[in-house]
């Protein structure tokens, strides 16, 4: 989280320096890729400690944990009193999802990325936030739609570099200009329609002044009517203070 905090401090100083002279250029001092990198840092920088939480769908509650170990993020979830594990292995130009069964690692087939986890609508790609590692995004200039929950946000749009892999063709994210929280992430299919919406409903401020989400809501949209939900799931995180 120190990396995310330092980056956003730098970005805000740059914006403040340009605000009085050339406001239109203030947001051009950094890229969408830098914002995504800051979001990744916020997700995984927990000093190699397990961060615990639950995925909820109705009465179904699935415990899970995540921890960062070097260039690998380890996810575990509990189903039928047994823990399963998969890793997100970060490479210079790509990200692999790895199944770990009885200590043996095997690269997950891309066709399995959208497989639901333990009876919920959260899939491997959702839990890993694989789209945070996509490159080539852009910051969208749309002031009329840039506020979420009363917060002023950057709108970041990122195309899937391999559109045939995974459930989304592109994603749009609303990133808080002050603290770097991604309040909303919309995943769109190849037809351009909204498939899933991730919304942070509450956040927690840590002792070092950085932020981490407390609860995230996942809405699955009707393919025939993307304004309608067909399912709602929640991801609840432990108190990290």
């Amino acid at each position: 989280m120190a990396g995310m905090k330092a980056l956003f401090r730098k970005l805000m100083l740059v914006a403040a320096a340009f605000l009085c002279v050339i406001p239109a250029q203030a947001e051009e001092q950094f890229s969408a890729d830098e914002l995504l990198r800051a979001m990744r840092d916020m997700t995984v920088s927990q000093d190699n400690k397990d961060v615990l939480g639950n995925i909820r769908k109705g009465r179904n509650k699935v415990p899970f944990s995540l921890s960062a170990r070097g260039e690998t993020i380890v996810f575990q979830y509990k189903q039928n009193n047994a823990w399963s594990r998969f890793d997100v292995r970060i490479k210079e130009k790509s990200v692999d999802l790895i199944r770990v069964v009885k200590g043996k690692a095997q690269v997950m087939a891309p066709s399995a990325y959208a497989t639901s986890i333990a009876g919920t609508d959260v899939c491997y790609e959702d839990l890993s936030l694989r789209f945070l590692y996509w490159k080539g995004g852009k910051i969208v200039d749309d002031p009329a739609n840039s506020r979420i929950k009363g917060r002023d946000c950057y709108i970041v749009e990122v195309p899937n570099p391999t559109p045939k892999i995974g459930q989304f063709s592109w994603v749009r994210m609303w990133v808080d200009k002050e603290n770097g929280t991604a309040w909303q992430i919309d995943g769109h299919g190849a037809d351009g329609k909204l498939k899933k919406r991730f919304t942070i409903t509450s956040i927690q401020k840590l002792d070092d002044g950085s932020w981490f989400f407390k609860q995230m809501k996942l809405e699955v949209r009707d393919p025939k009517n993307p304004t309608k939900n067909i399912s709602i799931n929640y991801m609840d995180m432990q108190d990290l203070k």
Side-chain angles (χ1 to χ4, degrees), residues 27 35 138-157 172-186 197:
E27 293 185 11
L35 283 174
K138 64 181 180 180
I139 298 176
V140 178
D141 184 16
D142 187 5
N145 295 298
S146 64
R147 293 183 68 83
I148 296 288
K149 295 183 178 294
R151 304 290 298 180
D152 199 14
C153 296
Y154 300 106
I155 301 176
V156 181
E157 194 170 291
R172 177 172 282 190
M173 314 178 196
W174 282 258
V175 184
D176 195 303
K177 289 186 176 182
E178 182 179 349
N179 60 39
T181 299
W183 289 106
Q184 183 171 302
I185 301 174
D186 286 355
R197 171 168 289 171

Side-chain angles (χ1 to χ4, degrees), residues 200-218:
I200 290 181
T201 59
S202 62
I203 60 175
Q204 51 185 314
K205 188 174 184 179
L206 306 187
D207 292 336
D208 65 358
S210 55
W211 300 82
F212 199 81
F213 80 89
K214 181 71 175 176
Q215 185 185 78
M216 180 182 292
K217 179 170 69 173
L218 170 61

Side-chain angles (χ1 to χ4, degrees), residues 11 14-15 18 22 25-31 34:
L11 299 183
V14 169
F18 282 83
I22 41 177
Q25 294 183 19
E27 293 185 11
E28 297 175 4
Q29 304 305 309
F30 56 94
S31 68
E34 288 175 314

